[in-house]
Amino acid sequence: FLFSRWLSPAHRLACIAGWSGAFLYAALAGFSASTVRALVMLTVIIILMLQKRRSTHFHSWLLALAVVLLLEPKALLQAGTWMSFTAVAALLMVFVPRNGVARGFLFKLLAAQVAVMTVTLPLSSFWFQLASPASLVSNLLAIPWISFIVVPMVLLALLLWPFNAEYAHALMNGAGQAGSMLINLLEP
């Protein structure tokens, strides 16, 4: 069971700080549909944790889906809803049944990408009449690049902007160059 133990005050503070960061990120992204879905999923998980409720990962996933559909019933007809919730379900299927085997970062990255691609490729074919098996290789490079290089540079620039606009500008330029490098690398 997920959340079967009581949360210490430090864990509660971490939950609130994490949710606050996710909310700010969603605001910076203009509360796009995908960021709102992710924020709803995170909110459901954190509420369950703070209320000390016993819940399985899949129960939390279903509850988040129900909340998204209650807030936006038309989401059921949107490709993004199907893609994001199916991708999260695939990640849960890969990572929740832990067999006590510790795996390295690269193995986990590859397992996550293969799982997500396996379940979203048919959905992509249905919704967009397009599917690319090459997306596995592209995502293996692009997701860590954006997650660990581009986004942190942009967030750091936003934090620095009020104190030192010159450094913030340099960081934004660096993020732009890193993004351009990725695009040039992935273009055929």
Side-chain angles (χ1 to χ4, degrees):
F1 279 100
L2 179 67
F3 323 133
S4 59
R5 63 186 172 97
W6 292 75
L7 292 176
S8 69
H11 284 109
R12 287 189 191 109
L13 184 61
C15 286
I16 293 167
W19 185 89
S20 299
F23 182 85
L24 288 174
Y25 183 83
L28 286 172
F31 291 107
S32 66
S34 60
T35 56
V36 169
R37 276 192 304 272
L39 187 61
V40 167
M41 284 188 225
L42 180 64
T43 302
V44 167
I45 300 273
I46 288 176
I47 288 171
L48 289 172
M49 289 175 72
L50 293 176
Q51 290 183 345
K52 301 170 188 151
R53 298 272 182 129
R54 294 181 133 245
S55 177
T56 66
H57 292 79
F58 286 103
H59 177 260
S60 301
W61 177 84
L62 282 171
L63 186 57
L65 178 59
V67 170
V68 165
L69 293 176
L70 280 171
L71 294 174
E72 182 60 47
K74 291 179 185 176
L76 187 61
L77 304 174
Q78 297 170 349
T81 302
W82 286 90
M83 299 286 278
S84 62
F85 275 95
T86 303
V88 170
L91 293 172
L92 288 173
M93 284 187 263
V94 168
F95 292 113
V96 169
R98 298 181 188 172
N99 299 327
V101 179
R103 304 286 179 156
F105 174 77
L106 291 177
F107 177 83
K108 289 177 184 176
L109 180 66
L110 183 61
Q113 286 304 313
V114 168
V116 168
M117 190 182 106
T118 301
V119 299
T120 58
L121 210 57
L123 289 173
S124 179
S125 296
F126 173 78
W127 285 99
F128 310 115
Q129 292 74 47
L130 178 69
S132 172
S135 64
L136 174 65
V137 176
S138 298
N139 284 340
L140 283 173
L141 180 62
I143 290 173
W145 188 270
I146 297 295
S147 300
F148 298 123
I149 297 173
V150 177
V151 170
M153 289 175 77
V154 169
L155 294 177
L156 186 58
L158 290 173
L159 289 173
L160 283 177
W161 199 270
F163 308 106
N164 191 325
E166 187 177 329
Y167 285 143
H169 185 70
L171 278 169
M172 284 294 208
N173 281 338
Q177 289 174 357
S180 294
M181 285 173 53
L182 178 65
I183 290 170
N184 290 335
L185 203 76
L186 295 177
E187 282 184 337

